[in-house]
Amino acid sequence: MLDSRTKIFGIIGDPVVHSLSPVMQNYFMKMFKINGVYCAFRIHSNDLETCLKGAPIMGFVGLNVTLPHKYAAAQTATFSSPEVRLLQVANTLQFKQDGIHAFTTDHYGFIASVGEHRARFSGAQVLMFGAGGSARSVAFALSQLGISALTIANRNESKAVELARFCQQNLAMTNVAAISINHPNLSHFIDQATILINTTSLGMYPIINEAPVALFTSIGKKHFVYDLIYNPLMTRFMYEAEKRGATVKNGLDMLIYQGLASLNIWSYEDFRLDINSFNELKSLLYRELK
Ligand code: NAP
């Protein structure tokens, strides 16, 4: 029951109406017996500063931050975690007496979600599509998973070059290359890699017939294809890859792990989901996506 002691949490973004975070975080509240409520707030960029000033006054404990505010939130915070200082993006804000504390949990979510496939990453050559905010977090995760080489393919090639430079200078990754997502010999790069990761929004609802590659023929059994998208659960990229024998994974587990990490920051706990609860939550989220 909500009462005057109920702790308030939320997610801010624009748009935010399709976010699964309210269903997921309110499931956590119930599961971990927290007297809290989590809502979604559509905040225009012009109102971000006012929102972040007002939230602690209103008694908010914490907020998740999604597009387009991840960068601005990191800049606005009073204190930033080492990861936020490194990546310059924040997805979790905590309101404390001394100011706003910023964290990022996407890289952790990616690593935790890899689970049983972790061994595939050690020494692997990875081809990552996209060079936006999530690509930066995934690159950080990849640097911790011990891959041997990373190629970043992006529509705006200069952003791929910039991210490659970031990986070399800040993540101590030595073998990093940048190419256009429309590279005439993309098949060669696919063939060289054993892990393909989509961090672009290509294939995301509602334009579900898109994919980061046009030709799927060079994808095969040796590939592990990870699509950060979770709506739809089976993207065209995953579907075409699986048809050719690849092992595929969507972004739903990553979403759950990054969300749980945010809750653990706000509550100073180490909450974990057992396999039954994890699957129950996934079914709940599947239903939301339908
Ligand atoms: P972002 O910072 O806006 O980056 C978007 C990326 O997609 C850029 O690389 C952009 O390329 C590319 N892109 C967009 N439209 C394109 C098009 N028509 N053709 C080619 N490339 C295109 O967004 P983000 O935060 O990285 O999020 C990207 C995706 O990851 C979204 O689908 C999001 O839902 C998903 N995501 C999932 C999780 C999870 O927990 N599973 C977490 C974060 C994000 P340019 O640079 O050329 O514009």
Side-chain angles (χ1 to χ4, degrees):
M1 199 183 74
L2 303 185
D3 59 23
S4 55
R5 278 184 291 273
T6 301
K7 293 184 170 124
I8 312 168
F9 305 85
I11 180 164
I12 54 170
D14 187 13
V16 80
V17 71
H18 293 297
S19 173
L20 292 180
S21 293
V23 170
M24 176 173 72
Q25 292 287 353
N26 286 312
Y27 175 90
F28 292 153
M29 303 285 164
K30 202 169 156 201
M31 166 68 50
F32 302 120
K33 299 187 171 44
I34 297 168
N35 180 4
V37 64
Y38 185 105
C39 300
F41 302 92
R42 184 177 184 186
I43 303 295
H44 191 273
S45 292
N46 292 341
D47 297 324
L48 183 67
E49 208 183 314
T50 317
C51 163
L52 296 182
K53 268 195 188 131
I57 297 171
M58 296 286 289
F60 276 70
V61 177
L63 284 173
N64 279 130
V65 181
T66 187
L67 289 176
H69 305 315
K70 286 184 169 186
Y71 176 77
Q75 303 303 306
T76 312
T78 329
F79 303 98
S80 297
S81 70
E83 292 83 8
V84 170
R85 287 201 292 278
L86 180 68
L87 302 172
Q88 295 289 305
V89 286
N91 76 341
T92 305
L93 299 177
Q94 184 184 29
F95 301 106
K96 291 171 70 171
Q97 291 285 347
D98 57 356
I100 304 175
H101 292 241
F103 303 86
T104 179
T105 61
D106 280 341
H107 63 287
Y108 167 79
F110 183 85
I111 293 174
S113 71
V114 159
E116 62 189 290
H117 301 290
R118 194 174 173 128
R120 290 176 188 263
F121 284 79
S122 175
Q125 298 207 32
V126 178
L127 173 58
M128 177 171 74
F129 300 99
S134 61
R136 188 172 275 239
S137 294
V138 170
F140 181 39
L142 293 173
S143 73
Q144 299 186 354
L145 287 167
I147 66 163
S148 69
L150 174 65
T151 302
I152 303 164
N154 199 43
R155 174 177 60 179
N156 179 342
E157 199 178 337
S158 64
K159 277 174 70 181
V161 170
E162 202 180 298
L163 181 55
R165 198 173 300 135
F166 172 84
C167 293
Q168 285 156 342
Q169 292 176 352
N170 300 292
L171 305 179
M173 295 170 89
T174 47
N175 204 347
V176 190
I179 60 169
S180 162
I181 203 166
N182 299 312
H183 193 288
N185 209 0
L186 190 63
S187 300
H188 163 75
F189 292 95
I190 293 176
D191 191 42
Q192 273 197 329
T194 55
I195 298 179
L196 311 175
I197 304 173
N198 179 33
T199 73
T200 76
S201 42
L202 287 165
M204 192 170 75
Y205 177 85
I207 314 174
I208 60 171
N209 61 339
E210 290 186 330
V213 295
L215 261 184
F216 300 97
T217 44
S218 37
I219 303 180
K221 274 198 179 75
K222 70 173 179 186
H223 287 113
F224 176 57
V225 172
Y226 192 133
D227 201 325
L228 260 65
I229 293 173
Y230 47 80
N231 187 12
L233 292 166
M234 178 66 93
T235 61
R236 169 139 191 256
F237 186 36
M238 289 166 62
Y239 173 79
E240 297 289 348
E242 192 173 66
K243 220 164 70 178
R244 290 165 177 80
T247 302
V248 301
K249 183 168 184 67
N250 66 31
L252 197 60
D253 289 2
M254 176 177 167
L255 180 85
I256 294 173
Y257 283 117
Q258 62 80 34
L260 189 54
S262 295
L263 181 66
N264 281 331
I265 288 169
W266 296 323
S267 56
Y268 303 96
E269 292 284 355
D270 185 19
F271 293 127
R272 287 159 198 242
L273 289 176
D274 61 33
I275 186 71
N276 291 338
S277 308
F278 201 90
N279 288 335
E280 185 183 49
L281 173 58
K282 274 173 95 164
S283 318
L284 207 64
L285 299 176
Y286 286 152
R287 282 206 292 279
E288 280 296 302
L289 291 173
K290 279 187 185 144

